[in-house]
mmCIF file of all heavy atoms in Angstrom:
data_model
loop_
_atom_site.group_PDB
_atom_site.id
_atom_site.type_symbol
_atom_site.label_atom_id
_atom_site.label_comp_id
_atom_site.label_asym_id
_atom_site.label_seq_id
_atom_site.Cartn_x
_atom_site.Cartn_y
_atom_site.Cartn_z
ATOM 1 N N ASP A 1 71.171 -136.616 -101.513
ATOM 2 C CA ASP A 1 70.921 -137.415 -100.311
ATOM 3 C C ASP A 1 71.495 -136.780 -99.048
ATOM 4 O O ASP A 1 70.892 -136.855 -97.973
ATOM 5 C CB ASP A 1 71.470 -138.828 -100.493
ATOM 6 C CG ASP A 1 72.963 -138.864 -100.799
ATOM 7 O OD1 ASP A 1 73.475 -137.883 -101.384
ATOM 8 O OD2 ASP A 1 73.610 -139.868 -100.468
ATOM 9 N N THR A 2 72.631 -136.122 -99.175
ATOM 10 C CA THR A 2 73.250 -135.490 -98.002
ATOM 11 C C THR A 2 72.747 -134.068 -97.778
ATOM 12 O O THR A 2 73.016 -133.473 -96.738
ATOM 13 C CB THR A 2 74.766 -135.426 -98.183
ATOM 14 O OG1 THR A 2 75.061 -134.598 -99.306
ATOM 15 C CG2 THR A 2 75.353 -136.813 -98.385
ATOM 16 N N GLY A 3 72.044 -133.530 -98.747
ATOM 17 C CA GLY A 3 71.628 -132.131 -98.675
ATOM 18 C C GLY A 3 72.683 -131.160 -99.151
ATOM 19 O O GLY A 3 72.469 -129.950 -99.122
ATOM 20 N N GLY A 4 73.800 -131.680 -99.615
ATOM 21 C CA GLY A 4 74.898 -130.821 -99.991
ATOM 22 C C GLY A 4 74.773 -130.162 -101.346
ATOM 23 O O GLY A 4 75.452 -129.179 -101.636
ATOM 24 N N SER A 5 73.889 -130.703 -102.187
ATOM 25 C CA SER A 5 73.702 -130.139 -103.528
ATOM 26 C C SER A 5 72.226 -129.924 -103.788
ATOM 27 O O SER A 5 71.394 -130.739 -103.381
ATOM 28 C CB SER A 5 74.266 -131.083 -104.586
ATOM 29 O OG SER A 5 75.648 -131.267 -104.417
ATOM 30 N N THR A 6 71.948 -128.831 -104.483
ATOM 31 C CA THR A 6 70.569 -128.526 -104.851
ATOM 32 C C THR A 6 70.511 -128.108 -106.310
ATOM 33 O O THR A 6 71.499 -127.656 -106.883
ATOM 34 C CB THR A 6 69.970 -127.401 -103.985
ATOM 35 O OG1 THR A 6 70.813 -126.243 -104.079
ATOM 36 C CG2 THR A 6 69.857 -127.831 -102.533
ATOM 37 N N TYR A 7 69.336 -128.261 -106.870
ATOM 38 C CA TYR A 7 69.076 -127.840 -108.248
ATOM 39 C C TYR A 7 67.713 -127.174 -108.262
ATOM 40 O O TYR A 7 66.765 -127.660 -107.650
ATOM 41 C CB TYR A 7 69.075 -129.052 -109.176
ATOM 42 C CG TYR A 7 68.639 -128.733 -110.580
ATOM 43 C CD1 TYR A 7 69.569 -128.343 -111.538
ATOM 44 C CD2 TYR A 7 67.289 -128.796 -110.956
ATOM 45 C CE1 TYR A 7 69.165 -128.021 -112.829
ATOM 46 C CE2 TYR A 7 66.894 -128.478 -112.236
ATOM 47 C CZ TYR A 7 67.843 -128.103 -113.178
ATOM 48 O OH TYR A 7 67.439 -127.784 -114.442
ATOM 49 N N TYR A 8 67.611 -126.052 -108.983
ATOM 50 C CA TYR A 8 66.349 -125.326 -109.114
ATOM 51 C C TYR A 8 66.063 -125.040 -110.566
ATOM 52 O O TYR A 8 66.970 -124.742 -111.344
ATOM 53 C CB TYR A 8 66.396 -124.004 -108.352
ATOM 54 C CG TYR A 8 66.556 -124.152 -106.859
ATOM 55 C CD1 TYR A 8 67.808 -124.086 -106.263
ATOM 56 C CD2 TYR A 8 65.445 -124.351 -106.044
ATOM 57 C CE1 TYR A 8 67.959 -124.228 -104.886
ATOM 58 C CE2 TYR A 8 65.588 -124.489 -104.666
ATOM 59 C CZ TYR A 8 66.845 -124.429 -104.106
ATOM 60 O OH TYR A 8 66.983 -124.572 -102.742
ATOM 61 N N SER A 9 64.789 -125.095 -110.906
ATOM 62 C CA SER A 9 64.395 -124.654 -112.235
ATOM 63 C C SER A 9 64.467 -123.138 -112.290
ATOM 64 O O SER A 9 64.387 -122.450 -111.259
ATOM 65 C CB SER A 9 62.980 -125.125 -112.550
ATOM 66 O OG SER A 9 62.045 -124.468 -111.708
ATOM 67 N N ASP A 10 64.585 -122.617 -113.473
ATOM 68 C CA ASP A 10 64.654 -121.161 -113.634
ATOM 69 C C ASP A 10 63.382 -120.483 -113.132
ATOM 70 O O ASP A 10 63.424 -119.335 -112.690
ATOM 71 C CB ASP A 10 64.886 -120.805 -115.105
ATOM 72 C CG ASP A 10 66.285 -121.148 -115.566
ATOM 73 O OD1 ASP A 10 67.180 -121.333 -114.714
ATOM 74 O OD2 ASP A 10 66.492 -121.238 -116.794
ATOM 75 N N SER A 11 62.278 -121.186 -113.209
ATOM 76 C CA SER A 11 60.997 -120.579 -112.839
ATOM 77 C C SER A 11 60.884 -120.290 -111.340
ATOM 78 O O SER A 11 60.066 -119.465 -110.931
ATOM 79 C CB SER A 11 59.842 -121.491 -113.268
ATOM 80 O OG SER A 11 59.945 -122.755 -112.632
ATOM 81 N N VAL A 12 61.692 -120.961 -110.507
ATOM 82 C CA VAL A 12 61.577 -120.757 -109.063
ATOM 83 C C VAL A 12 62.888 -120.299 -108.420
ATOM 84 O O VAL A 12 62.905 -119.965 -107.228
ATOM 85 C CB VAL A 12 61.083 -122.025 -108.338
ATOM 86 C CG1 VAL A 12 59.783 -122.512 -108.952
ATOM 87 C CG2 VAL A 12 62.132 -123.122 -108.354
ATOM 88 N N LYS A 13 63.954 -120.285 -109.185
ATOM 89 C CA LYS A 13 65.269 -119.951 -108.630
ATOM 90 C C LYS A 13 65.225 -118.571 -107.982
ATOM 91 O O LYS A 13 64.716 -117.613 -108.566
ATOM 92 C CB LYS A 13 66.311 -119.987 -109.739
ATOM 93 C CG LYS A 13 67.747 -120.013 -109.257
ATOM 94 C CD LYS A 13 68.696 -120.170 -110.444
ATOM 95 C CE LYS A 13 68.491 -121.478 -111.171
ATOM 96 N NZ LYS A 13 69.442 -121.645 -112.301
ATOM 97 N N GLY A 14 65.737 -118.494 -106.772
ATOM 98 C CA GLY A 14 65.754 -117.232 -106.049
ATOM 99 C C GLY A 14 64.510 -116.990 -105.208
ATOM 100 O O GLY A 14 64.494 -116.080 -104.364
ATOM 101 N N ARG A 15 63.469 -117.772 -105.423
ATOM 102 C CA ARG A 15 62.223 -117.612 -104.651
ATOM 103 C C ARG A 15 61.938 -118.819 -103.764
ATOM 104 O O ARG A 15 61.370 -118.670 -102.682
ATOM 105 C CB ARG A 15 61.038 -117.399 -105.590
ATOM 106 C CG ARG A 15 61.157 -116.169 -106.476
ATOM 107 C CD ARG A 15 59.858 -115.915 -107.236
ATOM 108 N NE ARG A 15 59.532 -117.022 -108.151
ATOM 109 C CZ ARG A 15 58.385 -117.695 -108.118
ATOM 110 N NH1 ARG A 15 57.456 -117.405 -107.215
ATOM 111 N NH2 ARG A 15 58.168 -118.680 -108.994
ATOM 112 N N PHE A 16 62.299 -119.996 -104.225
ATOM 113 C CA PHE A 16 62.023 -121.230 -103.491
ATOM 114 C C PHE A 16 63.326 -121.810 -102.950
ATOM 115 O O PHE A 16 64.385 -121.675 -103.570
ATOM 116 C CB PHE A 16 61.379 -122.277 -104.403
ATOM 117 C CG PHE A 16 59.980 -121.962 -104.860
ATOM 118 C CD1 PHE A 16 59.390 -120.724 -104.645
ATOM 119 C CD2 PHE A 16 59.242 -122.922 -105.543
ATOM 120 C CE1 PHE A 16 58.111 -120.446 -105.065
ATOM 121 C CE2 PHE A 16 57.958 -122.673 -105.969
ATOM 122 C CZ PHE A 16 57.396 -121.429 -105.738
ATOM 123 N N THR A 17 63.214 -122.489 -101.799
ATOM 124 C CA THR A 17 64.367 -123.144 -101.205
ATOM 125 C C THR A 17 63.989 -124.544 -100.768
ATOM 126 O O THR A 17 63.012 -124.717 -100.024
ATOM 127 C CB THR A 17 64.886 -122.358 -99.986
ATOM 128 O OG1 THR A 17 65.225 -121.029 -100.380
ATOM 129 C CG2 THR A 17 66.126 -123.031 -99.406
ATOM 130 N N ILE A 18 64.757 -125.525 -101.215
ATOM 131 C CA ILE A 18 64.544 -126.899 -100.804
ATOM 132 C C ILE A 18 65.549 -127.244 -99.705
ATOM 133 O O ILE A 18 66.705 -126.824 -99.747
ATOM 134 C CB ILE A 18 64.666 -127.877 -101.998
ATOM 135 C CG1 ILE A 18 64.261 -129.292 -101.593
ATOM 136 C CG2 ILE A 18 66.068 -127.844 -102.602
ATOM 137 C CD1 ILE A 18 64.160 -130.261 -102.775
ATOM 138 N N SER A 19 65.090 -128.000 -98.725
ATOM 139 C CA SER A 19 65.972 -128.450 -97.650
ATOM 140 C C SER A 19 65.454 -129.794 -97.148
ATOM 141 O O SER A 19 64.330 -130.177 -97.444
ATOM 142 C CB SER A 19 66.020 -127.430 -96.506
ATOM 143 O OG SER A 19 64.733 -127.245 -95.941
ATOM 144 N N ARG A 20 66.286 -130.483 -96.400
ATOM 145 C CA ARG A 20 65.877 -131.772 -95.871
ATOM 146 C C ARG A 20 66.423 -131.951 -94.463
ATOM 147 O O ARG A 20 67.479 -131.435 -94.124
ATOM 148 C CB ARG A 20 66.327 -132.913 -96.771
ATOM 149 C CG ARG A 20 67.817 -133.099 -96.891
ATOM 150 C CD ARG A 20 68.162 -134.105 -97.989
ATOM 151 N NE ARG A 20 67.760 -135.461 -97.633
ATOM 152 C CZ ARG A 20 67.718 -136.467 -98.503
ATOM 153 N NH1 ARG A 20 68.010 -136.252 -99.773
ATOM 154 N NH2 ARG A 20 67.379 -137.684 -98.105
ATOM 155 N N ASP A 21 65.674 -132.696 -93.682
ATOM 156 C CA ASP A 21 66.088 -133.065 -92.332
ATOM 157 C C ASP A 21 66.024 -134.590 -92.279
ATOM 158 O O ASP A 21 64.941 -135.165 -92.107
ATOM 159 C CB ASP A 21 65.150 -132.427 -91.300
ATOM 160 C CG ASP A 21 65.605 -132.671 -89.870
ATOM 161 O OD1 ASP A 21 66.315 -133.658 -89.623
ATOM 162 O OD2 ASP A 21 65.216 -131.883 -88.995
ATOM 163 N N ASN A 22 67.156 -135.234 -92.439
ATOM 164 C CA ASN A 22 67.171 -136.699 -92.496
ATOM 165 C C ASN A 22 66.748 -137.329 -91.175
ATOM 166 O O ASN A 22 66.174 -138.417 -91.159
ATOM 167 C CB ASN A 22 68.536 -137.198 -92.929
ATOM 168 C CG ASN A 22 68.772 -137.037 -94.419
ATOM 169 O OD1 ASN A 22 67.841 -136.722 -95.170
ATOM 170 N ND2 ASN A 22 69.999 -137.214 -94.861
ATOM 171 N N ALA A 23 67.016 -136.652 -90.084
ATOM 172 C CA ALA A 23 66.601 -137.187 -88.784
ATOM 173 C C ALA A 23 65.086 -137.254 -88.673
ATOM 174 O O ALA A 23 64.530 -138.136 -88.022
ATOM 175 C CB ALA A 23 67.184 -136.341 -87.664
ATOM 176 N N LYS A 24 64.425 -136.305 -89.318
ATOM 177 C CA LYS A 24 62.954 -136.266 -89.307
ATOM 178 C C LYS A 24 62.363 -136.889 -90.565
ATOM 179 O O LYS A 24 61.140 -136.849 -90.734
ATOM 180 C CB LYS A 24 62.457 -134.821 -89.175
ATOM 181 C CG LYS A 24 62.833 -134.158 -87.861
ATOM 182 C CD LYS A 24 62.276 -132.740 -87.781
ATOM 183 C CE LYS A 24 62.626 -132.108 -86.452
ATOM 184 N NZ LYS A 24 62.114 -130.707 -86.359
ATOM 185 N N ILE A 25 63.241 -137.444 -91.414
ATOM 186 C CA ILE A 25 62.835 -138.033 -92.699
ATOM 187 C C ILE A 25 61.825 -137.140 -93.417
ATOM 188 O O ILE A 25 60.785 -137.597 -93.923
ATOM 189 C CB ILE A 25 62.319 -139.491 -92.564
ATOM 190 C CG1 ILE A 25 61.225 -139.631 -91.529
ATOM 191 C CG2 ILE A 25 63.486 -140.399 -92.241
ATOM 192 C CD1 ILE A 25 60.612 -141.043 -91.519
ATOM 193 N N THR A 26 62.173 -135.861 -93.497
ATOM 194 C CA THR A 26 61.282 -134.862 -94.084
ATOM 195 C C THR A 26 62.076 -133.947 -94.994
ATOM 196 O O THR A 26 63.219 -133.589 -94.692
ATOM 197 C CB THR A 26 60.593 -134.046 -92.979
ATOM 198 O OG1 THR A 26 59.811 -134.927 -92.161
ATOM 199 C CG2 THR A 26 59.677 -132.984 -93.580
ATOM 200 N N VAL A 27 61.458 -133.573 -96.101
ATOM 201 C CA VAL A 27 62.026 -132.570 -96.986
ATOM 202 C C VAL A 27 61.053 -131.404 -97.044
ATOM 203 O O VAL A 27 59.836 -131.594 -96.962
ATOM 204 C CB VAL A 27 62.296 -133.148 -98.393
ATOM 205 C CG1 VAL A 27 61.012 -133.599 -99.066
ATOM 206 C CG2 VAL A 27 63.034 -132.154 -99.261
ATOM 207 N N TYR A 28 61.597 -130.204 -97.165
ATOM 208 C CA TYR A 28 60.787 -128.997 -97.150
ATOM 209 C C TYR A 28 60.965 -128.217 -98.445
ATOM 210 O O TYR A 28 61.998 -128.301 -99.108
ATOM 211 C CB TYR A 28 61.203 -128.096 -95.983
ATOM 212 C CG TYR A 28 61.143 -128.776 -94.638
ATOM 213 C CD1 TYR A 28 62.299 -129.306 -94.056
ATOM 214 C CD2 TYR A 28 59.943 -128.896 -93.945
ATOM 215 C CE1 TYR A 28 62.257 -129.931 -92.822
ATOM 216 C CE2 TYR A 28 59.895 -129.525 -92.709
ATOM 217 C CZ TYR A 28 61.048 -130.047 -92.160
ATOM 218 O OH TYR A 28 61.004 -130.677 -90.930
#
């Protein structure tokens, strides 16, 4: 919820990045 922790599957780790902007209520 705070963006402080992330988890990735092995299939995408190192290639994909998840992030969120709570002010824009959007996740990328």
Side-chain angles (χ1 to χ4, degrees):
D1 58 332
T2 63
S5 298
T6 56
Y7 172 89
Y8 296 95
S9 67
D10 289 342
S11 60
V12 306
K13 195 175 297 182
R15 300 188 297 124
F16 291 10
T17 302
I18 187 171
S19 61
R20 65 190 291 167
D21 185 335
N22 283 350
K24 296 182 178 179
I25 53 173
T26 299
V27 63
Y28 304 98

